[in-house]
């Protein structure tokens, strides 16, 4: 199994930046794609970004393109989500997830999930 632990969330003013981290352990050989999703109260879980572990190919949700960057650190078994120019609509719980089979924006394609970290952006 894969264990994922997110960190780095918090309160930030609009226009500010945060970097989220997701530390992975366990069956890292199944870590084909690491994804970031977010969910605000009363809303569906939304795709944010994803990166393939080996090649580092990335994709982003339309709402964050140009503002967020996903990356990974092999030595630390960690993926990051650098969030710049944050907006109040970015407020959500952010989840790290792993897919062993694909490179998808659909949450149903992901096998393991972290506990989430709260990001709140004030205006």
């Amino acid at each position: 199994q894969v264990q994922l632990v997110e960190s780095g969330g918090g309160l930030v003013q609009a226009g500010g930046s945060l970097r989220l981290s997701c530390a992975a352990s366990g069956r890292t050989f199944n870590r084909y794609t690491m994804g970031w999703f977010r969910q605000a109260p009363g809303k569906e879980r939304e795709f944010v970004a994803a990166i393939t572990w080996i090649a580092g190919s990335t994709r982003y949700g339309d709402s964050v393109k140009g503002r967020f960057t996903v990356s990974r650190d092999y030595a630390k078994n960690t993926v990051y989500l650098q969030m710049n120019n944050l907006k109040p609509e970015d407020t959500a719980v952010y989840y790290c997830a792993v897919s062993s089979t694909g490179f998808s924006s659909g949450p149903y394609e992901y096998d393991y999930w972290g506990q989430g970290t709260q990001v709140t952006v004030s205006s």
Side-chain angles (χ1 to χ4, degrees), residues 13 44 55 63 73 94 120:
Q13 293 186 24
E44 294 183 348
S63 63
D73 186 320
Y94 283 71
T120 302

Side-chain angles (χ1 to χ4, degrees), residues 14-37:
S17 298
L18 285 173
R19 189 181 74 162
L20 305 183
S21 299
C22 176
S25 61
R27 290 185 177 182
T28 56
F29 58 85
N30 285 334
R31 195 194 314 163
Y32 178 70
T33 299
M34 301 294 297
W36 287 97
F37 293 80

Side-chain angles (χ1 to χ4, degrees), residues 5 23 38 47 53 59 61 71-73 77 80 83 86-87 95 97 103 105 111 116:
V5 180
R38 65 187 183 186
F47 173 74
W53 189 252
R59 60 171 53 183
S71 61
R72 79 269 195 259
D73 186 320
N77 288 309
Y80 302 96
M83 305 184 294
L86 284 161
K87 304 175 180 180
Y95 297 92
F103 184 36
S105 61
D111 306 301

Side-chain angles (χ1 to χ4, degrees), residues 67-86:
R67 299 188 297 121
F68 291 9
T69 302
V70 64
S71 61
R72 79 269 195 259
D73 186 320
Y74 289 134
K76 296 182 179 180
N77 288 309
T78 300
V79 296
Y80 302 96
L81 184 68
Q82 179 66 47
M83 305 184 294
N84 297 325
N85 192 24
L86 284 161

